[in-house]
Amino acid sequence: MVHWKIIRTFASTILFTLIISFIMKISHIEHLGIAVQSIEEALPYFKEVLGLECYAIETVEDQKVKTAFLKCGEVKLELLEPTSPESTIQKWLDKGNKGVHHVAFCIEDGVANALAEVSEKGVRLIDQAPRKGAENLNIAFLHPKSTCGILTELCEH
Ligand code: CMX
């Protein structure tokens, strides 16, 4: 009887330690999300001053944003223009913010696994499960209140 209790306690301690010690694998910063009021007005700076190429423009209806992607080595810049006053980007700009809005990390072993892990570690999730974002990536956001003030996106290709 006592043996079973000891074994059960030991097993659950091991399981708990495994969950806590599992750390997601981030391969690189996938992109930086940059909020702008107008992509048309912002693009000349990125193209003509920084010399970056804009390779795609896409509207993400459910996020109420138009996006423009520029490649900067392995990292992308995602310009985000609100398409509605209800857009989170418009609300963020209206509060006097501008520039880098979020940091997106590329996760090697799956966004769903990473969400389960960070949630277990007490991080507040915005998305409870991965969903489709721009460029058809699986994405999920973590709340800036539990990520050192950085709105964090996890994504996988
Ligand atoms: N970076 C850091 N902090 C931010 C932030 C950001 N981008 N956006 C909001 N916050 C802060 C606010 O300043 C606020 O802080 P205080 O309470 O100290 O003032 C706090 O977060 C909560 O703000 P809120 O008013 O309660 O919530 P909002 O309605 O502003 O929503 C957030 C904030 C992060 C939950 C919302 O923006 C969200 O769900 N974001 C994820 C989706 C998203 O950003 N989509 C656009 C990009 C889509 C894409 O890349 O395709």
Side-chain angles (χ1 to χ4, degrees):
M1 247 342 199
V2 176
H3 284 325
W4 277 115
K5 256 190 183 168
I6 292 170
I7 289 168
R8 256 207 329 260
T9 310
F10 184 68
S12 38
T13 307
I14 298 274
L15 190 64
F16 181 73
T17 309
L18 278 176
I19 290 170
I20 290 295
S21 61
F22 177 78
I23 298 183
M24 70 177 99
K25 284 199 184 68
I26 292 177
S27 58
H28 62 286
I29 290 179
E30 213 281 336
H31 66 265
L32 297 177
I34 297 172
V36 297
Q37 196 61 65
S38 158
I39 284 178
E40 193 187 347
E41 284 173 22
L43 263 185
Y45 167 68
F46 291 93
K47 284 165 70 171
E48 289 153 31
V49 179
L50 298 185
L52 302 176
E53 186 200 346
C54 173
Y55 67 90
I57 294 200
E58 177 187 342
T59 297
V60 184
E61 299 290 352
D62 72 326
Q63 292 297 302
K64 301 185 175 69
V65 288
K66 182 174 158 189
T67 63
F69 281 94
L70 302 105
K71 199 92 179 155
C72 182
E74 196 175 0
V75 180
K76 299 167 192 163
L77 302 185
E78 178 191 33
L79 305 187
L80 295 153
E81 174 189 306
T83 56
S84 149
E86 300 310 311
S87 164
T88 55
I89 297 299
Q90 187 61 64
K91 288 182 186 161
W92 195 72
L93 290 168
D94 287 346
K95 282 184 184 169
N97 304 298
K98 59 182 170 182
V100 177
H101 173 260
H102 65 263
V103 177
F105 295 102
C106 189
I107 309 295
E108 280 187 352
D109 35 13
V111 171
N113 291 337
L115 283 180
E117 176 206 335
V118 299
S119 173
E120 191 70 38
K121 290 176 178 172
V123 173
R124 187 167 148 198
L125 310 183
I126 292 175
D127 298 299
Q128 305 301 317
R131 59 184 169 81
K132 287 290 175 193
E135 299 198 303
N136 206 33
L137 298 185
N138 287 329
I139 65 155
F141 280 91
L142 309 181
H143 200 284
K145 286 290 175 194
S146 55
T147 55
C148 299
I150 303 159
L151 176 58
T152 301
E153 182 179 348
L154 306 179
C155 45
E156 67 182 317
H157 288 267

